[in-house]
Amino acid sequence: MFRNRLKVTSGRKLNLYLFPVIVAPFILLSPVFLTGKSLFWGTISLQFVPWRFYAWEVFRSGHLPLWNPLNGMGAPLMANYQSALFYPPNWIYFILQELGGIGWAAWGQALLVAAHLAWAGLGMALLGRRIGLGSLAQSISGLAYGLSGYLVARSGFLSINAAASWIPWVILAGMGILDQQSEGEVATQRKELSNALKFKGKLGGVWRRMQQEVWGVRWLVVALALQLMAGHAQITWYTMILCVIWMAYHAWRMPLGQVITIGAGKIQATLGNRLWNAGVIFRRMALALILAFGLAAVQLVPTAEYLLQSQRGDQVDYEYAMTYSFWPWRFTSLLAPDWFGNPIHGDYWGYGNFWEDTIYIGLLPFIMALFAVIRKKSHSKFLVVLIIASFLLALGKNTPIYPWLYRWVPTFAMFQAPTRFSIWGIFALSLLAGMGVEGWKRPTGRGLYWTRLGTAGALAVMIGAGLAWYFLSDIKVTFLRATSLAGFWGVGTGLLTLIAPPDKASGNSFSFLNRSWPFAVVSFVMIDLLVAGWGLNPGIERSFYNPHTQGKNSYLSRLTEGRIYISPKLEYDLKFKRFMRFDTFQPDNDWSEMRRYLLPNLNLLDNVQIVNNFDPLVPGRYARWMEALDDGRDNLAILNLMSVSMVEKMELEQQDGGVRIEDIDLGARLRWVPCAIIASDEQAAWEKAFSGKIDFNKLVVLESKDLVTDENCTDAGQMANIQIVSEHPNRIAVKVQNPSSGWLVLSDVWYPGWNASINSVDVPIWRANYLFRAVKIGVGEHEVIFSYQPISFYSGVLISFFVLLIIWAVWRKKQ
């Protein structure tokens, strides 16, 4: 059986060829961290650095970073899954920030990205070792995965970078379950289960059995829990599906009627035993999943609550879900990743963006993967099926398969970018590459003829494309450059094949050739992948992240209170047409301008409140509200309700970058309103709030089916005195002296977990004006406190603590 073959190789020591797998990612990112720069492109500067900077600043001030009051008129921070505040490696940022401020924390991003790429490559190499690959093959698989275009090009998306690095480790830990069936265990397990169902077993025996089960899945629990906390649900979900497919394949590979060895004993491979064996494996996998979810509950429970409240609470829009479907022409990137240009050179002209469809694993590894399929290596058929399934799903809207799954199969409507399914293909191709290397030897006969012919052909392609690149101007230069480079790597692959050891490329011979040739192969693949990924993660001076002073940003000197509003269209144009353009990493703009415009979520670095929010999840009602604001209607009354004091507008005639900041009348964030009107449901509240017929200084729209208001309510003609006594992200204390009973309206987003008290007496918070919060107050002077105490977070803490206690108890017992 497959797992018995694993035991033959499981005792091998790590080889020297793994050194490049670990070091190469740090070489790739060295132009950033060795020069003292920091990563910044895309979501790094617009999401991850600001989130983590602000979270640590809140924590340093003595509060939990549960709520972000600076974006979107308030939004959950810790429940934002991609912030990954509970992912242990991310705590390095907090240490660096404490030691050297935001500059050090931003600088550390490149080091941690490189560490995750190295971790991904090492995990793939060890997985190759687990399935019986030799030392050189392990290294090639590790390089192909850890430096693949998929991982390197997406490294700026820090949560994908972290989550994808755990995929081989999850599969590797899952395979450990396959080795846990010892001599006679199938019969023993059946007997124990029968006794348990008949209540014949003692509690002590049940506890011992549970200890054994938990101990047996401990590494899978750790790997899954860390991936769950890494912050990218889509990659984690794809990993879980892949793990189930992988384990199902290997669990079912017990030929019927065959006597196989399990441990030190033998068992007849009957259909019943095969089914039982598969059942045990999946039971243990289920246990591992439960424990992993329990360990990560401190993050997952608040995120689940946020998801239900968010714009993705039901499903994402079809067009949004199909965004970044794999472009079929990008299959050329298996051979030449830059055929349609590259933003490094400022000439990418393909569909969408460059990084979503990049699937390059190196030319030599790809050829070795094809070689493994042709030679019908063990498990190659399974891996080929996995690759085909991967790219059929990745093609998204380009085939009828994914649209059908979107409509009828749960979870397919939860994510965008079907192209990310190609991670299965990269995983399988990397393993196949190692399998191909296992059978790589110097060709003879017809093989020698075709190798020489192929090498000569690659040389001709390289020279021809190079000459055309130099002399011709009517052909896309990206085609010629990429083709010429592919020819170069093809020549190198051919030459390495021609000088390969005549026996087997295992490095076991003591001849000079057999000792040096594997190092030449590893170096060749490493250089190929470094060239392909070089510059895909550009750096910038650390000062880019320094908080602005009022002297450096004239907008800040004018913003004494209130919020800034940027229309969604202007925000999109500034981010993706002016600065974070898909065709180039070097647009003709000063990057400091992006900071000066206070694009979300860069405002967190300056502690400035803006209406906009660039989080992947936002409250569903907030998303609808923002869409309505950008429909061209007169929104001044609504902006006043939102406590906006400044509006960013595009003015092409302006010399100052074409962006003008316009001051408008500030609406109070806290207001006393004497009267209320009732809306029976969400839609009714929406229609009333946007009817244009309500004076929000006199009326508040409350959403309730049971609340009754005074129909004779009239404006008393006097204003209440409202003063904020203290405020931090999770708490606002207000003193109110009002002439008559009425409503205190806070223009912050309503969200579960916010509580209110008046003079230390708990009172309900009502949904006000569709999106905001209100409390009923009587005549006189009151102290009103709004506090964020989400049950989801505290229940998640309890679940994680309880599961941690169970694992600790089992671990302690086994020591």
Side-chain angles (χ1 to χ4, degrees), residues 3 33 67 86 131 149 162 184 246 278 313 319 376 395 452 510 579 675 693 723 726 744 755 768 787 807:
R3 62 171 172 269
F33 63 80
W67 189 258
F86 289 101
I131 64 174
W246 182 274
E319 290 301 323
K376 298 181 180 179
L395 285 165
R452 288 173 176 172
F510 288 98
F579 294 106
C675 304
K693 301 177 181 179
Q723 179 184 2
S726 64
L744 179 65
N755 304 313
S787 59
I807 294 174

Side-chain angles (χ1 to χ4, degrees), residues 202-218:
K202 296 181 180 179
L203 288 178
V206 173
W207 169 242
R208 283 193 299 272
R209 185 64 190 171
M210 189 181 80
Q211 284 180 317
Q212 293 173 0
E213 294 284 292
V214 173
W215 181 256
V217 300
R218 63 193 183 281

Side-chain angles (χ1 to χ4, degrees), residues 604-638:
L604 292 173
L605 303 178
D606 298 311
N607 201 41
V608 173
Q609 293 192 57
I610 69 173
V611 170
N612 306 70
N613 193 347
F614 192 42
D615 290 357
L617 293 181
V618 295
R621 295 194 181 200
Y622 164 83
R624 184 182 183 186
W625 185 279
M626 293 298 289
E627 289 175 3
L629 283 179
D630 204 40
D631 66 358
R633 72 175 78 188
D634 183 5
N635 293 313
L636 286 178
I638 299 297

Side-chain angles (χ1 to χ4, degrees), residues 672-690:
W672 174 75
V673 178
C675 304
I677 57 176
I678 306 301
S680 59
D681 55 27
E682 176 182 344
Q683 183 59 30
W686 171 264
E687 292 172 356
K688 291 180 184 295
F690 277 87

Side-chain angles (χ1 to χ4, degrees), residues 487-504:
F488 175 80
W489 301 122
V491 170
T493 301
L495 292 176
L496 286 171
T497 303
L498 291 172
I499 65 171
D503 52 347
K504 189 179 180 183

Side-chain angles (χ1 to χ4, degrees), residues 306-313 617-627 682 749 751 770-771:
Y306 196 5
L307 179 63
L308 292 175
Q309 294 288 328
S310 76
Q311 82 279 24
R312 299 190 186 186
L617 293 181
V618 295
R621 295 194 181 200
Y622 164 83
R624 184 182 183 186
W625 185 279
M626 293 298 289
E627 289 175 3
E682 176 182 344
V749 169
Y751 190 82
Y770 181 77
L771 186 60

